[in-house]
Amino acid sequence: MMSLKFVFGPCALQALDLVDRHSVTCLSSPSGRKAFQVMGGSGCLYTCFVSCHYCPCPAFAYTVLCRNEGLLCKHILAIYLCQAMGVTQQASVSDQQMSLLLSETAAPWHRNVWCCVQQVDQCPQVHRNSMDPTPC
């Protein structure tokens, strides 16, 4: 456990809590597509895509995408831990349901990127023409 905390920081314990609460479900469609849904500690359901390393949660947008201070959020780490431990809940969805999940999940991503851009615009340490949000 100390190794996990050393590598992943404070989100390691939060991810382990999600694993203990069986909060991770793998959704599979007949075409072979997979998505994961993680019930967050706040009760929000996040649809995550491990294949492209993406979670729509605010922590992922801020810590990983904007600040570049972490590798992943607690939801993605919980997915990896559940897979490694073989405790991921399984559910089947139709291809239409999977398509709907994909299209619904795209909207928060655009909003998160827009928030990053807005932070860059408001950050005095960054030149206005820079799109690198790291200094904010």
Side-chain angles (χ1 to χ4, degrees), residues 7-80:
V7 174
F8 297 107
C11 81
L13 295 177
Q14 297 167 335
L16 286 169
D17 183 52
L18 292 173
V19 172
D20 286 342
R21 289 189 285 139
H22 304 285
S23 298
V24 178
T25 303
C26 177
L27 304 175
S28 302
S29 69
S31 63
R33 291 190 175 108
K34 286 188 179 186
F36 292 85
Q37 288 191 323
V38 181
M39 181 63 70
S42 64
C44 291
L45 186 65
Y46 298 105
T47 301
C48 306
F49 301 96
V50 176
S51 60
C52 61
H53 194 74
Y54 173 74
C55 179
C57 77
F60 185 84
Y62 184 72
T63 306
V64 179
L65 297 178
C66 290
R67 303 282 290 184
N68 200 25
E69 291 177 350
L71 300 171
L72 39 77
C73 65
K74 66 183 178 183
H75 308 108
I76 298 285
L77 181 56
I79 292 168
Y80 288 139

Side-chain angles (χ1 to χ4, degrees), residues 90-107:
Q90 302 291 327
S92 296
V93 296
S94 69
D95 285 327
Q96 284 181 323
Q97 289 171 315
M98 184 62 75
S99 294
L100 185 60
L101 274 174
L102 290 168
S103 64
E104 288 175 349
T105 304

